Structure formats: C-alpha cells, structure tokens
C-alpha cells in the first residue's frame, strides 16, 4: 500500500507529507498506521480527477518556496524539510524529507531546509541552461527572518557556529547572485502542505496554489 502511494506522489504532491510520514513506520506498523493509510486512500477516492494543471500562457520565471517544521516528528524530535519549485505558475519539482540531525532552533531547521532547496535550484539552473534559459537571482521564499539574515550575514555567530559548514554554501551563492532569500508571510507559505498537517481550509487553499485542480 505504501509503495503504490509513494509512486502516486510523483503526480499528487498534496499527499506527499502524509505518505512520507506513514512510510516511516513500515518496519513495525501498528493498526493505527493502517487506519491512517486507509484514510489516504479514501481521500484519493474522493478526489479521483484532481491533477496538476500546466497552462501554456504561464510566465517562465523560476522561483521556489522553502519551509521546515521544527521538531515536528515527535518520535525523535527531528524537523521536516520541504520545498517546491515553480516555473511561472507551474509546479515542476517538490520534496518533503525528514532532516538527518536534530535542529536546535527554528532558525537552524529553516536554514537546513533552505540549503537543500538551494542545491535543487542550482541543479535546475544548470539543466535549464542547456535549453538556453539563464536565470539570475532565483528567489527562495522563506518566512523565517532569522534564517534569511543568517544567509545574508557572512559573520558566524555563537548561536549558529554549531550549524554544519555544508549548509553555509547558501551565502556563497547569494554573493554570486545565483539566488536571493525573500520573506514570505506564513499564510502564503505554500510549502506548509509538504511539512505539517493543516486544517481543511488551509489545505485546500495551498493545494490550489500548487496547481492541483479538477481535470475532466
């Protein structure tokens, strides 16, 4: 059941967080986990015609959203990173993944998520360059102002010296003009749908903003 759902997440980002969360208990599942998986199938049965829409009159600017749910996974208190990349209004890439280490602050969790998003952006820029598209200062939209300041400030502080050095390559790409960190309000952070459980109204709003709609 989990395997088939993981395959479906390639075209249904709205179930990615729920499926990834259930997949963590494959080694030793309980009855409650089975009920959770069945609820996902019920949701899919209720929305069989939902799919990603790619309008041909969309713009062609590359931008992305990055988010992290600090300590959201209660089993080991690790945070969940998520990001989604858009070409205009078209969703072309997305991921949701539990972080490898326990973050000591919201800033660290968001900074790690932004680093993963930056790596994805650099790969996409290189791929698009082969087709003649050269993007400068691709915006990474994040709602944590501390993580944004950390990315722009070249000085290491005592509060951030524990952050692994591999995540600080963000600063290098900001200085080169490859990316820029942009603040986005929480209510407009569409990546929340990939990192945490939401109420029905917010879930439906972000699902529509991802480009998922009824396709006849």
């Amino acid at each position: 059941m989990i395997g088939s759902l993981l395959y479906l997440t390639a075209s249904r980002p709205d179930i990615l967080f729920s499926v990834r969360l259930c997949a963590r208990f494959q080694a030793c599942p309980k009855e409650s986990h089975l009920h959770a998986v069945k609820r996902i199938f019920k949701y899919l049965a209720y929305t069989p015609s939902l799919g990603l829409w790619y309008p041909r009159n969309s713009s062609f600017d590359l931008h992305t959203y990055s988010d992290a749910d600090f300590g959201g996974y209660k089993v080991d208190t690790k945070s969940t990173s998520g990001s989604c990349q858009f070409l205009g209004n078209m969703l072309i890439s997305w991921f949701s993944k539990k972080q490898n280490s326990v973050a000591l602050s919201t800033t660290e969790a968001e900074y790690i998520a932004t680093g993963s998003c930056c790596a994805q952006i650099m790969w996409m820029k290189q791929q698009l360059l082969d087709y003649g598209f050269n993007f400068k200062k691709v915006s990474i939209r994040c709602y944590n102002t501390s993580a944004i300041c950390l990315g722009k400030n070249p000085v290491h502080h005592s509060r951030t010296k524990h952050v692994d050095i591999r995540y600080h390559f963000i600063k290098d790409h900001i200085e080169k003009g490859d990316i820029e960190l942009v603040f986005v309000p929480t209510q407009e952070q569409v990546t929340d749908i990939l990192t945490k459980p939401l109420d029905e109204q917010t879930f439906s709003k972000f699902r529509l903003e991802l480009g998922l709609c009824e396709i006849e």
Side-chain angles (χ1 to χ4, degrees), residues 1-2 5 22-23 25-26 28-42:
M1 294 169 73
I2 292 293
L5 287 172
C22 291
F25 300 95
Q26 286 186 96
C28 186
K30 297 180 180 179
E31 189 174 350
S32 58
H33 302 136
L34 179 62
H35 289 321
V37 173
K38 286 183 176 179
R39 288 191 65 181
I40 299 175
F41 277 105
K42 288 180 180 178

Side-chain angles (χ1 to χ4, degrees), residues 17-79:
F17 172 72
S18 301
V19 174
R20 291 282 187 181
L21 187 60
C22 291
R24 296 170 188 170
F25 300 95
Q26 286 186 96
C28 186
K30 297 180 180 179
E31 189 174 350
S32 58
H33 302 136
L34 179 62
H35 289 321
V37 173
K38 286 183 176 179
R39 288 191 65 181
I40 299 175
F41 277 105
K42 288 180 180 178
Y43 167 73
L44 292 172
Y46 180 72
T47 57
S49 58
L50 205 63
L52 288 169
W53 176 252
Y54 296 95
R56 60 183 176 182
N57 59 347
S58 173
S59 60
F60 210 72
D61 61 302
L62 181 62
H63 62 276
T64 180
Y65 292 84
S66 173
D67 185 39
D69 182 26
F70 174 58
Y73 187 49
K74 301 306 179 184
V75 176
D76 56 11
T77 66
K78 289 182 179 179
S79 306

Side-chain angles (χ1 to χ4, degrees), residues 57-131:
N57 59 347
S58 173
S59 60
F60 210 72
D61 61 302
L62 181 62
H63 62 276
T64 180
Y65 292 84
S66 173
D67 185 39
D69 182 26
F70 174 58
Y73 187 49
K74 301 306 179 184
V75 176
D76 56 11
T77 66
K78 289 182 179 179
S79 306
T80 302
S81 298
S83 79
C84 50
Q85 287 75 36
F86 289 85
L87 270 178
N89 297 325
M90 302 176 290
L91 180 66
I92 57 174
S93 177
W94 58 91
F95 80 85
S96 175
K97 182 182 179 182
K98 186 175 70 170
Q99 294 180 1
N100 295 328
S101 58
V102 177
L104 301 181
S105 65
T106 307
T107 300
E108 182 182 353
E110 293 280 354
Y111 196 61
I112 292 173
T114 306
S116 300
C117 182
C118 179
Q120 177 72 3
I121 282 292
M122 298 312 299
W123 177 82
M124 293 177 66
K125 284 185 64 176
Q126 186 60 44
Q127 297 298 311
L128 291 167
L129 194 61
D130 295 338
Y131 294 95

Side-chain angles (χ1 to χ4, degrees), residues 143-183:
Y143 75 88
N144 188 284
T145 54
S146 297
I148 294 174
C149 292
L150 180 60
K152 294 179 180 180
N153 190 351
V155 180
H156 291 262
H157 298 280
S158 59
R159 292 182 179 180
T160 59
K161 63 182 179 181
H162 63 278
V163 180
D164 199 316
I165 192 65
R166 70 178 181 272
Y167 298 114
H168 288 298
F169 79 103
I170 300 173
K171 296 177 181 177
D172 185 42
H173 288 297
I174 291 176
E175 292 172 359
K176 290 179 179 178
D178 293 326
I179 64 168
E180 62 176 345
L181 300 182
V182 180
F183 174 77

